[in-house]
Amino acid sequence: MLCREVYQGGCDRPIEGPGWLHPEHWPVLPDDRPILPSLRHDVPDHLIRTLVRSPEPYVRRAVITAPQTADDVVDALLDDPREDVRTTALHTTRSADTLRSAAGDPRLRFAVACNPHCPPDVLERLSRDNDPDVRNRVVINPATPDHLIDAATRDRHLFVRWWALRQTRNARIIDRAARSSDPDEREWVASNPHCSPETLLVLAADPDWQVRRKVASNENCPGDLRARLIGEPIGAHRPARYPSPTPSQRAGALVERFVWPLILRLWPERDRD
């Protein structure tokens, strides 16, 4: 069996047990983290149940994130000896009982809050967690009920409030933030995918160039408006709060426009169900 017959982006060399992996094939990021292998979507169940016994943790994590992996295989890895594998399984499991139990452990709450199958009652409990990182993950979780996201727009932590403004579907909250005197609130709501074209038109006239940049990258932005905004030089008519666009801000604009959409397309399907 060839590596490319098992892994997306695999090579033409054969692989076999017990490892089922060529570790040197997967490139390493600047911080020494390898790019993780992902299983092909046509890998059959019997092979997945063989791969899960691999001593390579990257193989076991690839098994967890594959959309066709059976729930019992994922749940079995909740007891894996490796913490990173256990955490990946907790991110992915569909077991409501497991998630409710893990939500009581401060060390596991973040992983539970990331799980897109997390029950609403658990998300509601975690939305009141003392850790703002946990509350922020609740806001980002696609399973979170709208009323919890709306409540988070009043969170005591600034970053949680900003993400809630980006996620809320509440037209009244969106409109209020779009007319806020706080440029940060206008910037975050300008990237909200539930922002109406009418509200985006208001934000497109914002004196802050970063707000206008977010409008241009919003998927709901009308094509003619996007073309006009993209034609503006970066930093045009910028306000005093940003005296000059830094190289990192310029890079951020490129990442948001091109790299982040690519990441969303490549995100494991299991995590987006």
Side-chain angles (χ1 to χ4, degrees):
M1 180 173 296
L2 302 182
C3 179
R4 60 178 171 79
E5 294 176 322
V6 177
Y7 300 108
Q8 300 179 40
C11 63
D12 290 327
R13 292 178 295 163
I15 56 172
E16 58 184 15
W20 297 101
L21 186 72
H22 298 136
E24 73 281 0
H25 174 76
W26 307 99
V28 175
L29 298 175
D31 59 357
D32 295 329
R33 287 186 298 113
I35 295 177
L36 301 180
S38 297
L39 296 189
R40 288 170 54 101
H41 294 176
D42 56 357
V43 173
D45 181 71
H46 70 84
L47 180 54
I48 285 177
R49 293 178 185 275
T50 298
L51 295 172
V52 78
R53 297 194 294 272
S54 169
E56 294 284 351
Y58 299 135
V59 174
R60 302 198 299 277
R61 290 174 64 181
V63 165
I64 292 170
T65 57
Q68 72 270 37
T69 299
D71 290 346
D72 67 295
V73 175
V74 173
D75 291 348
L77 290 169
L78 290 164
D79 296 321
D80 194 272
R82 286 269 304 217
E83 182 179 2
D84 59 331
V85 176
R86 295 196 304 272
T87 300
T88 302
L90 193 55
H91 275 244
T92 310
T93 181
R94 298 172 185 265
S95 170
D97 289 341
T98 296
L99 292 168
R100 287 192 178 95
S101 175
D105 188 335
R107 298 168 301 174
L108 304 178
R109 287 173 185 164
F110 183 86
V112 174
C114 293
N115 190 306
H117 312 294
C118 195
D121 61 294
V122 177
L123 289 168
E124 183 152 12
R125 189 198 327 170
L126 293 176
S127 72
R128 300 188 297 271
D129 196 88
N130 289 331
D131 186 344
D133 289 333
V134 172
R135 301 198 306 275
N136 196 49
R137 290 309 309 188
V138 170
V139 168
I140 298 171
N141 193 316
T144 298
D146 288 345
H147 74 277
L148 295 181
I149 297 175
D150 293 348
T153 63
R154 303 184 299 275
D155 192 274
R156 60 187 180 275
H157 193 278
L158 195 63
F159 201 60
V160 178
R161 293 202 303 272
W162 285 348
W163 268 104
L165 287 175
R166 189 190 183 282
Q167 300 293 104
T168 182
R169 299 172 183 265
N170 188 309
R172 182 173 54 83
I173 293 175
I174 290 173
D175 184 67
R176 184 176 67 234
R179 302 174 191 279
S180 170
S181 60
D182 184 343
D184 288 317
E185 288 194 1
R186 301 197 307 271
E187 180 182 346
W188 278 84
V189 83
S191 63
N192 188 318
H194 310 295
C195 218
S196 69
E198 293 76 18
T199 301
L200 289 173
L201 189 61
V202 171
L203 290 166
D206 198 280
D208 190 316
W209 72 274
Q210 293 203 107
V211 174
R212 300 195 303 275
R213 174 172 61 85
K214 290 292 182 69
V215 172
S217 64
N218 192 304
E219 62 189 52
N220 284 339
C221 183
D224 57 340
L225 180 59
R226 177 180 289 111
R228 174 167 65 81
L229 293 172
I230 289 176
E232 289 186 351
I234 292 181
H237 313 298
R238 57 184 177 267
R241 75 177 176 124
Y242 295 112
S244 61
T246 65
S248 64
Q249 288 170 344
R250 293 175 184 270
L254 294 175
V255 167
E256 182 174 16
R257 186 174 171 198
F258 298 108
V259 178
W260 184 242
L262 178 62
I263 290 173
L264 290 179
R265 286 199 298 271
L266 297 178
W267 198 266
E269 288 185 14
R270 171 178 284 275
D271 289 346
R272 292 187 277 116
D273 286 348

